PDB file of all heavy atoms in Angstrom:
ATOM      1  N   ARG D   1     106.743  97.694  91.855  1.00 98.00           N
ATOM      2  CA  ARG D   1     106.563  97.830  93.311  1.00 98.00           C
ATOM      3  C   ARG D   1     105.266  98.561  93.636  1.00 98.00           C
ATOM      4  O   ARG D   1     105.170  99.270  94.638  1.00 98.00           O
ATOM      5  CB  ARG D   1     107.751  98.566  93.919  1.00 98.00           C
ATOM      6  CG  ARG D   1     109.072  97.787  93.819  1.00 98.00           C
ATOM      7  CD  ARG D   1     110.133  98.414  94.697  1.00 98.00           C
ATOM      8  NE  ARG D   1     110.486  99.752  94.264  1.00 98.00           N
ATOM      9  CZ  ARG D   1     110.963 100.698  95.071  1.00 98.00           C
ATOM     10  NH1 ARG D   1     111.121 100.461  96.362  1.00 98.00           N
ATOM     11  NH2 ARG D   1     111.279 101.894  94.589  1.00 98.00           N
ATOM     12  N   ILE D   2     104.264  98.390  92.817  1.00 98.00           N
ATOM     13  CA  ILE D   2     102.972  99.048  93.013  1.00 98.00           C
ATOM     14  C   ILE D   2     102.282  98.434  94.224  1.00 98.00           C
ATOM     15  O   ILE D   2     102.144  97.209  94.317  1.00 98.00           O
ATOM     16  CB  ILE D   2     102.097  98.905  91.758  1.00 98.00           C
ATOM     17  CG1 ILE D   2     102.800  99.570  90.562  1.00 98.00           C
ATOM     18  CG2 ILE D   2     100.727  99.513  91.979  1.00 98.00           C
ATOM     19  CD1 ILE D   2     102.114  99.308  89.233  1.00 98.00           C
ATOM     20  N   ALA D   3     101.837  99.279  95.155  1.00 98.00           N
ATOM     21  CA  ALA D   3     101.236  98.791  96.398  1.00 98.00           C
ATOM     22  C   ALA D   3      99.725  99.000  96.454  1.00 98.00           C
ATOM     23  O   ALA D   3      99.057  98.358  97.263  1.00 98.00           O
ATOM     24  CB  ALA D   3     101.889  99.463  97.609  1.00 98.00           C
ATOM     25  N   ARG D   4      99.199  99.881  95.628  1.00 97.00           N
ATOM     26  CA  ARG D   4      97.760 100.145  95.667  1.00 97.00           C
ATOM     27  C   ARG D   4      97.253 100.485  94.269  1.00 97.00           C
ATOM     28  O   ARG D   4      97.995 101.017  93.436  1.00 97.00           O
ATOM     29  CB  ARG D   4      97.429 101.284  96.636  1.00 97.00           C
ATOM     30  CG  ARG D   4      98.130 102.597  96.321  1.00 97.00           C
ATOM     31  CD  ARG D   4      97.841 103.657  97.369  1.00 97.00           C
ATOM     32  NE  ARG D   4      96.436 104.017  97.374  1.00 97.00           N
ATOM     33  CZ  ARG D   4      95.930 105.024  96.652  1.00 97.00           C
ATOM     34  NH1 ARG D   4      96.714 105.751  95.868  1.00 97.00           N
ATOM     35  NH2 ARG D   4      94.656 105.319  96.715  1.00 97.00           N
ATOM     36  N   VAL D   5      95.978 100.153  94.042  1.00 97.00           N
ATOM     37  CA  VAL D   5      95.311 100.504  92.793  1.00 97.00           C
ATOM     38  C   VAL D   5      94.190 101.471  93.144  1.00 97.00           C
ATOM     39  O   VAL D   5      93.162 101.065  93.683  1.00 97.00           O
ATOM     40  CB  VAL D   5      94.741  99.261  92.080  1.00 97.00           C
ATOM     41  CG1 VAL D   5      94.138  99.661  90.743  1.00 97.00           C
ATOM     42  CG2 VAL D   5      95.832  98.210  91.887  1.00 97.00           C
ATOM     43  N   PRO D   6      94.346 102.765  92.873  1.00 97.00           N
ATOM     44  CA  PRO D   6      93.340 103.756  93.287  1.00 97.00           C
ATOM     45  C   PRO D   6      92.105 103.724  92.408  1.00 97.00           C
ATOM     46  O   PRO D   6      92.101 103.133  91.322  1.00 97.00           O
ATOM     47  CB  PRO D   6      94.093 105.083  93.142  1.00 97.00           C
ATOM     48  CG  PRO D   6      95.094 104.824  92.045  1.00 97.00           C
ATOM     49  CD  PRO D   6      95.509 103.387  92.206  1.00 97.00           C
ATOM     50  N   ASN D   7      91.064 104.360  92.878  1.00 96.00           N
ATOM     51  CA  ASN D   7      89.828 104.473  92.102  1.00 96.00           C
ATOM     52  C   ASN D   7      90.081 105.213  90.790  1.00 96.00           C
ATOM     53  O   ASN D   7      90.798 106.218  90.756  1.00 96.00           O
ATOM     54  CB  ASN D   7      88.760 105.211  92.908  1.00 96.00           C
ATOM     55  CG  ASN D   7      88.272 104.411  94.084  1.00 96.00           C
ATOM     56  OD1 ASN D   7      88.257 103.183  94.056  1.00 96.00           O
ATOM     57  ND2 ASN D   7      87.850 105.086  95.139  1.00 96.00           N
ATOM     58  N   GLY D   8      89.474 104.722  89.710  1.00 95.00           N
ATOM     59  CA  GLY D   8      89.575 105.393  88.416  1.00 95.00           C
ATOM     60  C   GLY D   8      90.934 105.340  87.763  1.00 95.00           C
ATOM     61  O   GLY D   8      91.213 106.144  86.868  1.00 95.00           O
ATOM     62  N   ALA D   9      91.789 104.399  88.178  1.00 96.00           N
ATOM     63  CA  ALA D   9      93.149 104.346  87.621  1.00 96.00           C
ATOM     64  C   ALA D   9      93.157 104.038  86.129  1.00 96.00           C
ATOM     65  O   ALA D   9      94.087 104.425  85.413  1.00 96.00           O
ATOM     66  CB  ALA D   9      93.968 103.300  88.375  1.00 96.00           C
ATOM     67  N   PHE D  10      92.112 103.360  85.621  1.00 97.00           N
ATOM     68  CA  PHE D  10      92.083 102.959  84.212  1.00 97.00           C
ATOM     69  C   PHE D  10      90.796 103.402  83.515  1.00 97.00           C
ATOM     70  O   PHE D  10      90.429 102.842  82.479  1.00 97.00           O
ATOM     71  CB  PHE D  10      92.220 101.433  84.107  1.00 97.00           C
ATOM     72  CG  PHE D  10      93.330 100.860  84.933  1.00 97.00           C
ATOM     73  CD1 PHE D  10      93.051 100.237  86.142  1.00 97.00           C
ATOM     74  CD2 PHE D  10      94.640 100.943  84.521  1.00 97.00           C
ATOM     75  CE1 PHE D  10      94.063  99.695  86.918  1.00 97.00           C
ATOM     76  CE2 PHE D  10      95.668 100.416  85.281  1.00 97.00           C
ATOM     77  CZ  PHE D  10      95.385  99.791  86.492  1.00 97.00           C
ATOM     78  N   GLN D  11      90.125 104.381  84.052  1.00 95.00           N
ATOM     79  CA  GLN D  11      88.796 104.729  83.543  1.00 95.00           C
ATOM     80  C   GLN D  11      88.811 105.296  82.130  1.00 95.00           C
ATOM     81  O   GLN D  11      87.777 105.275  81.444  1.00 95.00           O
ATOM     82  CB  GLN D  11      88.129 105.728  84.486  1.00 95.00           C
ATOM     83  CG  GLN D  11      88.865 107.048  84.631  1.00 95.00           C
ATOM     84  CD  GLN D  11      88.200 107.954  85.645  1.00 95.00           C
ATOM     85  OE1 GLN D  11      87.153 107.623  86.203  1.00 95.00           O
ATOM     86  NE2 GLN D  11      88.792 109.103  85.893  1.00 95.00           N
ATOM     87  N   HIS D  12      89.962 105.767  81.637  1.00 94.00           N
ATOM     88  CA  HIS D  12      90.038 106.305  80.276  1.00 94.00           C
ATOM     89  C   HIS D  12      90.478 105.255  79.262  1.00 94.00           C
ATOM     90  O   HIS D  12      90.622 105.560  78.080  1.00 94.00           O
ATOM     91  CB  HIS D  12      91.017 107.484  80.237  1.00 94.00           C
ATOM     92  CG  HIS D  12      92.444 107.102  80.522  1.00 94.00           C
ATOM     93  ND1 HIS D  12      92.855 106.649  81.759  1.00 94.00           N
ATOM     94  CD2 HIS D  12      93.543 107.096  79.719  1.00 94.00           C
ATOM     95  CE1 HIS D  12      94.154 106.387  81.710  1.00 94.00           C
ATOM     96  NE2 HIS D  12      94.586 106.649  80.492  1.00 94.00           N
ATOM     97  N   LEU D  13      90.662 104.015  79.698  1.00 96.00           N
ATOM     98  CA  LEU D  13      91.177 102.969  78.811  1.00 96.00           C
ATOM     99  C   LEU D  13      90.046 102.030  78.389  1.00 96.00           C
ATOM    100  O   LEU D  13      90.047 100.843  78.704  1.00 96.00           O
ATOM    101  CB  LEU D  13      92.290 102.185  79.517  1.00 96.00           C
ATOM    102  CG  LEU D  13      93.463 103.014  80.034  1.00 96.00           C
ATOM    103  CD1 LEU D  13      94.467 102.148  80.752  1.00 96.00           C
ATOM    104  CD2 LEU D  13      94.129 103.781  78.892  1.00 96.00           C
ATOM    105  N   SER D  14      89.106 102.554  77.657  1.00 94.00           N
ATOM    106  CA  SER D  14      87.926 101.770  77.276  1.00 94.00           C
ATOM    107  C   SER D  14      88.245 100.667  76.270  1.00 94.00           C
ATOM    108  O   SER D  14      87.452  99.734  76.104  1.00 94.00           O
ATOM    109  CB  SER D  14      86.852 102.695  76.692  1.00 94.00           C
ATOM    110  OG  SER D  14      87.345 103.389  75.548  1.00 94.00           O
ATOM    111  N   GLN D  15      89.396 100.747  75.604  1.00 95.00           N
ATOM    112  CA  GLN D  15      89.766  99.729  74.617  1.00 95.00           C
ATOM    113  C   GLN D  15      90.668  98.639  75.193  1.00 95.00           C
ATOM    114  O   GLN D  15      91.055  97.713  74.479  1.00 95.00           O
ATOM    115  CB  GLN D  15      90.477 100.392  73.431  1.00 95.00           C
ATOM    116  CG  GLN D  15      89.646 101.447  72.708  1.00 95.00           C
ATOM    117  CD  GLN D  15      90.381 102.051  71.536  1.00 95.00           C
ATOM    118  OE1 GLN D  15      91.066 101.347  70.776  1.00 95.00           O
ATOM    119  NE2 GLN D  15      90.267 103.357  71.361  1.00 95.00           N
ATOM    120  N   LEU D  16      90.979  98.745  76.478  1.00 97.00           N
ATOM    121  CA  LEU D  16      91.911  97.806  77.088  1.00 97.00           C
ATOM    122  C   LEU D  16      91.314  96.401  77.129  1.00 97.00           C
ATOM    123  O   LEU D  16      90.165  96.205  77.532  1.00 97.00           O
ATOM    124  CB  LEU D  16      92.261  98.269  78.507  1.00 97.00           C
ATOM    125  CG  LEU D  16      93.488  97.619  79.144  1.00 97.00           C
ATOM    126  CD1 LEU D  16      94.746  97.978  78.362  1.00 97.00           C
ATOM    127  CD2 LEU D  16      93.632  98.080  80.598  1.00 97.00           C
ATOM    128  N   ARG D  17      92.125  95.420  76.703  1.00 97.00           N
ATOM    129  CA  ARG D  17      91.686  94.022  76.679  1.00 97.00           C
ATOM    130  C   ARG D  17      92.430  93.157  77.692  1.00 97.00           C
ATOM    131  O   ARG D  17      91.869  92.187  78.191  1.00 97.00           O
ATOM    132  CB  ARG D  17      91.880  93.438  75.263  1.00 97.00           C
ATOM    133  CG  ARG D  17      91.038  94.109  74.202  1.00 97.00           C
ATOM    134  CD  ARG D  17      89.560  93.896  74.453  1.00 97.00           C
ATOM    135  NE  ARG D  17      88.722  94.570  73.459  1.00 97.00           N
ATOM    136  CZ  ARG D  17      88.187  95.772  73.626  1.00 97.00           C
ATOM    137  NH1 ARG D  17      88.405  96.439  74.760  1.00 97.00           N
ATOM    138  NH2 ARG D  17      87.441  96.319  72.695  1.00 97.00           N
ATOM    139  N   GLU D  18      93.657  93.503  78.009  1.00 98.00           N
ATOM    140  CA  GLU D  18      94.448  92.696  78.941  1.00 98.00           C
ATOM    141  C   GLU D  18      95.227  93.624  79.872  1.00 98.00           C
ATOM    142  O   GLU D  18      95.909  94.547  79.419  1.00 98.00           O
ATOM    143  CB  GLU D  18      95.403  91.768  78.187  1.00 98.00           C
ATOM    144  CG  GLU D  18      96.219  90.871  79.097  1.00 98.00           C
ATOM    145  CD  GLU D  18      97.076  89.883  78.326  1.00 98.00           C
ATOM    146  OE1 GLU D  18      96.732  89.604  77.150  1.00 98.00           O
ATOM    147  OE2 GLU D  18      98.083  89.405  78.878  1.00 98.00           O
ATOM    148  N   LEU D  19      95.118  93.349  81.175  1.00 98.00           N
ATOM    149  CA  LEU D  19      95.786  94.158  82.191  1.00 98.00           C
ATOM    150  C   LEU D  19      96.574  93.232  83.110  1.00 98.00           C
ATOM    151  O   LEU D  19      96.004  92.361  83.775  1.00 98.00           O
ATOM    152  CB  LEU D  19      94.763  94.963  83.001  1.00 98.00           C
ATOM    153  CG  LEU D  19      95.288  95.773  84.186  1.00 98.00           C
ATOM    154  CD1 LEU D  19      96.359  96.766  83.754  1.00 98.00           C
ATOM    155  CD2 LEU D  19      94.135  96.506  84.872  1.00 98.00           C
ATOM    156  N   ASP D  20      97.880  93.408  83.128  1.00 98.00           N
ATOM    157  CA  ASP D  20      98.767  92.551  83.923  1.00 98.00           C
ATOM    158  C   ASP D  20      99.346  93.356  85.087  1.00 98.00           C
ATOM    159  O   ASP D  20     100.178  94.243  84.889  1.00 98.00           O
ATOM    160  CB  ASP D  20      99.895  92.003  83.036  1.00 98.00           C
ATOM    161  CG  ASP D  20     100.723  90.939  83.747  1.00 98.00           C
ATOM    162  OD1 ASP D  20     100.503  90.717  84.958  1.00 98.00           O
ATOM    163  OD2 ASP D  20     101.578  90.316  83.090  1.00 98.00           O
ATOM    164  N   LEU D  21      98.896  93.033  86.293  1.00 98.00           N
ATOM    165  CA  LEU D  21      99.399  93.669  87.512  1.00 98.00           C
ATOM    166  C   LEU D  21     100.090  92.654  88.424  1.00 98.00           C
ATOM    167  O   LEU D  21     100.221  92.876  89.629  1.00 98.00           O
ATOM    168  CB  LEU D  21      98.239  94.329  88.269  1.00 98.00           C
ATOM    169  CG  LEU D  21      97.647  95.590  87.638  1.00 98.00           C
ATOM    170  CD1 LEU D  21      96.307  95.936  88.275  1.00 98.00           C
ATOM    171  CD2 LEU D  21      98.600  96.773  87.764  1.00 98.00           C
ATOM    172  N   SER D  22     100.507  91.547  87.869  1.00 98.00           N
ATOM    173  CA  SER D  22     101.109  90.487  88.663  1.00 98.00           C
ATOM    174  C   SER D  22     102.495  90.885  89.172  1.00 98.00           C
ATOM    175  O   SER D  22     103.133  91.804  88.658  1.00 98.00           O
ATOM    176  CB  SER D  22     101.216  89.206  87.827  1.00 98.00           C
ATOM    177  OG  SER D  22     102.080  89.404  86.717  1.00 98.00           O
ATOM    178  N   ARG D  23     102.929  90.171  90.228  1.00 98.00           N
ATOM    179  CA  ARG D  23     104.272  90.339  90.789  1.00 98.00           C
ATOM    180  C   ARG D  23     104.550  91.774  91.216  1.00 98.00           C
ATOM    181  O   ARG D  23     105.593  92.353  90.910  1.00 98.00           O
ATOM    182  CB  ARG D  23     105.332  89.843  89.800  1.00 98.00           C
ATOM    183  CG  ARG D  23     105.154  88.372  89.426  1.00 98.00           C
ATOM    184  CD  ARG D  23     106.240  87.858  88.517  1.00 98.00           C
ATOM    185  NE  ARG D  23     105.965  86.484  88.121  1.00 98.00           N
ATOM    186  CZ  ARG D  23     106.231  85.400  88.861  1.00 98.00           C
ATOM    187  NH1 ARG D  23     106.790  85.559  90.058  1.00 98.00           N
ATOM    188  NH2 ARG D  23     105.934  84.195  88.432  1.00 98.00           N
ATOM    189  N   ASN D  24     103.594  92.334  91.926  1.00 98.00           N
ATOM    190  CA  ASN D  24     103.776  93.635  92.552  1.00 98.00           C
ATOM    191  C   ASN D  24     103.663  93.480  94.067  1.00 98.00           C
ATOM    192  O   ASN D  24     103.856  92.375  94.597  1.00 98.00           O
ATOM    193  CB  ASN D  24     102.749  94.634  92.017  1.00 98.00           C
ATOM    194  CG  ASN D  24     103.168  95.261  90.699  1.00 98.00           C
ATOM    195  OD1 ASN D  24     103.971  96.185  90.658  1.00 98.00           O
ATOM    196  ND2 ASN D  24     102.619  94.744  89.598  1.00 98.00           N
ATOM    197  N   ALA D  25     103.338  94.544  94.748  1.00 98.00           N
ATOM    198  CA  ALA D  25     103.155  94.500  96.199  1.00 98.00           C
ATOM    199  C   ALA D  25     101.771  95.025  96.566  1.00 98.00           C
ATOM    200  O   ALA D  25     101.583  95.661  97.602  1.00 98.00           O
ATOM    201  CB  ALA D  25     104.238  95.318  96.899  1.00 98.00           C
ATOM    202  N   ILE D  26     100.791  94.746  95.710  1.00 98.00           N
ATOM    203  CA  ILE D  26      99.444  95.308  95.865  1.00 98.00           C
ATOM    204  C   ILE D  26      98.765  94.744  97.114  1.00 98.00           C
ATOM    205  O   ILE D  26      98.648  93.524  97.272  1.00 98.00           O
ATOM    206  CB  ILE D  26      98.592  95.025  94.616  1.00 98.00           C
ATOM    207  CG1 ILE D  26      99.211  95.716  93.398  1.00 98.00           C
ATOM    208  CG2 ILE D  26      97.159  95.500  94.829  1.00 98.00           C
ATOM    209  CD1 ILE D  26      98.526  95.377  92.086  1.00 98.00           C
ATOM    210  N   GLU D  27      98.334  95.630  97.973  1.00 97.00           N
ATOM    211  CA  GLU D  27      97.573  95.267  99.164  1.00 97.00           C
ATOM    212  C   GLU D  27      96.167  95.861  99.136  1.00 97.00           C
ATOM    213  O   GLU D  27      95.230  95.257  99.641  1.00 97.00           O
ATOM    214  CB  GLU D  27      98.298  95.740 100.434  1.00 97.00           C
ATOM    215  CG  GLU D  27      99.651  95.102 100.664  1.00 97.00           C
ATOM    216  CD  GLU D  27     100.296  95.599 101.937  1.00 97.00           C
ATOM    217  OE1 GLU D  27      99.666  96.414 102.651  1.00 97.00           O
ATOM    218  OE2 GLU D  27     101.432  95.187 102.237  1.00 97.00           O
ATOM    219  N   THR D  28      96.048  97.058  98.545  1.00 96.00           N
ATOM    220  CA  THR D  28      94.785  97.791  98.562  1.00 96.00           C
ATOM    221  C   THR D  28      94.292  98.030  97.146  1.00 96.00           C
ATOM    222  O   THR D  28      95.046  98.470  96.277  1.00 96.00           O
ATOM    223  CB  THR D  28      94.965  99.148  99.278  1.00 96.00           C
ATOM    224  OG1 THR D  28      95.513  98.929 100.578  1.00 96.00           O
ATOM    225  CG2 THR D  28      93.633  99.863  99.406  1.00 96.00           C
ATOM    226  N   ILE D  29      93.008  97.735  96.927  1.00 96.00           N
ATOM    227  CA  ILE D  29      92.362  97.989  95.640  1.00 96.00           C
ATOM    228  C   ILE D  29      91.091  98.782  95.909  1.00 96.00           C
ATOM    229  O   ILE D  29      90.223  98.327  96.659  1.00 96.00           O
ATOM    230  CB  ILE D  29      92.024  96.674  94.914  1.00 96.00           C
ATOM    231  CG1 ILE D  29      93.308  95.884  94.631  1.00 96.00           C
ATOM    232  CG2 ILE D  29      91.291  96.957  93.614  1.00 96.00           C
ATOM    233  CD1 ILE D  29      93.060  94.536  93.983  1.00 96.00           C
ATOM    234  N   GLY D  30      90.988  99.965  95.313  1.00 95.00           N
ATOM    235  CA  GLY D  30      89.812 100.805  95.524  1.00 95.00           C
ATOM    236  C   GLY D  30      88.559 100.173  94.950  1.00 95.00           C
ATOM    237  O   GLY D  30      88.628  99.411  93.980  1.00 95.00           O
ATOM    238  N   PRO D  31      87.401 100.477  95.516  1.00 94.00           N
ATOM    239  CA  PRO D  31      86.140  99.884  95.033  1.00 94.00           C
ATOM    240  C   PRO D  31      85.815 100.241  93.591  1.00 94.00           C
ATOM    241  O   PRO D  31      85.089  99.512  92.924  1.00 94.00           O
ATOM    242  CB  PRO D  31      85.091 100.435  96.002  1.00 94.00           C
ATOM    243  CG  PRO D  31      85.712 101.650  96.609  1.00 94.00           C
ATOM    244  CD  PRO D  31      87.188 101.367  96.668  1.00 94.00           C
ATOM    245  N   ALA D  32      86.351 101.358  93.091  1.00 95.00           N
ATOM    246  CA  ALA D  32      86.121 101.760  91.696  1.00 95.00           C
ATOM    247  C   ALA D  32      87.426 101.753  90.903  1.00 95.00           C
ATOM    248  O   ALA D  32      87.591 102.502  89.955  1.00 95.00           O
ATOM    249  CB  ALA D  32      85.480 103.141  91.643  1.00 95.00           C
ATOM    250  N   ALA D  33      88.351 100.880  91.288  1.00 96.00           N
ATOM    251  CA  ALA D  33      89.668 100.852  90.653  1.00 96.00           C
ATOM    252  C   ALA D  33      89.590 100.479  89.181  1.00 96.00           C
ATOM    253  O   ALA D  33      90.374 100.970  88.358  1.00 96.00           O
ATOM    254  CB  ALA D  33      90.574  99.875  91.393  1.00 96.00           C
ATOM    255  N   PHE D  34      88.650  99.612  88.815  1.00 96.00           N
ATOM    256  CA  PHE D  34      88.563  99.130  87.433  1.00 96.00           C
ATOM    257  C   PHE D  34      87.331  99.656  86.715  1.00 96.00           C
ATOM    258  O   PHE D  34      86.848  99.030  85.759  1.00 96.00           O
ATOM    259  CB  PHE D  34      88.574  97.602  87.432  1.00 96.00           C
ATOM    260  CG  PHE D  34      89.773  97.012  88.120  1.00 96.00           C
ATOM    261  CD1 PHE D  34      89.642  96.389  89.354  1.00 96.00           C
ATOM    262  CD2 PHE D  34      91.034  97.100  87.554  1.00 96.00           C
ATOM    263  CE1 PHE D  34      90.738  95.856  89.995  1.00 96.00           C
ATOM    264  CE2 PHE D  34      92.144  96.572  88.192  1.00 96.00           C
ATOM    265  CZ  PHE D  34      91.998  95.948  89.423  1.00 96.00           C
ATOM    266  N   SER D  35      86.841 100.792  87.165  1.00 94.00           N
ATOM    267  CA  SER D  35      85.695 101.403  86.489  1.00 94.00           C
ATOM    268  C   SER D  35      86.085 101.793  85.069  1.00 94.00           C
ATOM    269  O   SER D  35      87.184 102.275  84.810  1.00 94.00           O
ATOM    270  CB  SER D  35      85.230 102.647  87.259  1.00 94.00           C
ATOM    271  OG  SER D  35      86.259 103.627  87.310  1.00 94.00           O
TER     272      SER D  35
END
C-alpha cells in the first residue's frame, strides 16, 4: 500500500539490479527518488 517514493529512498543500494514497485498505490515520486 505504498503511496509515495521519497527522495533518496534507495540511495544506499548501489548493487541493486531489479526493483519491483508494482501493484501499489503510488501517486507521488520525488525528483531524487532513484538517486
Side-chain angles (χ1 to χ4, degrees):
R1 294 193 296 153
I2 299 172
R4 58 184 295 268
V5 184
N7 291 330
F10 312 102
Q11 62 184 357
H12 65 293
L13 304 178
S14 59
Q15 301 181 41
L16 196 64
R17 296 296 178 265
E18 182 175 338
L19 175 57
D20 189 353
L21 289 166
S22 63
R23 301 183 184 279
N24 277 280
I26 297 174
E27 297 181 2
T28 305
I29 299 177
F34 304 108
S35 62

